[in-house]
Amino acid sequence: MHSLSIPYTDDLLVTSGKAPQELEEELRFLLAVKLFEMHRLSLGKAAEFCGMVKLRFMFEVGRLKVPVVNLSDDQIADELRDD
């Protein structure tokens, strides 16, 4: 497994009002959300990426007003097409 390290200053901790571990969990979650939104990760893979179960990830994504049903226009058309 690969790892990514992102340096940040104490200013970010102060501004966020979070402990280092809480901030890092939030940043991992936000990265997972963005990758999901960009269709780079599936819902399940995004949840796994940030260490959440799928149902909780879906709930948290919904709170951010990011659509949980993340289908492309072609996928939606395929779903709506009569067989």
Side-chain angles (χ1 to χ4, degrees):
M1 179 179 288
H2 299 279
S3 179
L4 172 68
S5 176
I6 301 174
Y8 57 88
T9 64
D10 288 339
D11 293 345
L12 185 56
L13 284 172
V14 171
T15 303
S16 73
K18 297 178 185 279
Q21 184 176 348
E22 290 176 298
L23 177 63
E24 291 167 13
E25 287 174 6
E26 179 181 45
L27 294 173
R28 257 191 314 277
F29 167 70
L30 293 172
L31 178 56
V33 170
K34 192 61 180 176
L35 291 171
F36 170 71
E37 192 175 28
M38 295 173 63
H39 302 272
R40 299 270 179 95
L41 290 177
S42 68
L43 182 70
K45 291 294 183 183
E48 183 180 316
F49 181 85
C50 65
M52 289 185 181
V53 296
K54 195 185 302 187
L55 190 58
R56 179 168 176 231
F57 183 77
M58 290 171 67
F59 175 77
E60 296 296 336
V61 166
R63 285 182 5 147
L64 294 175
K65 307 287 191 241
V66 173
V68 175
V69 177
N70 198 4
L71 300 175
S72 69
D73 291 342
D74 290 339
Q75 289 170 316
I76 292 170
D78 288 343
E79 292 294 327
L80 297 175
R81 193 172 298 128
D82 291 332
D83 289 327

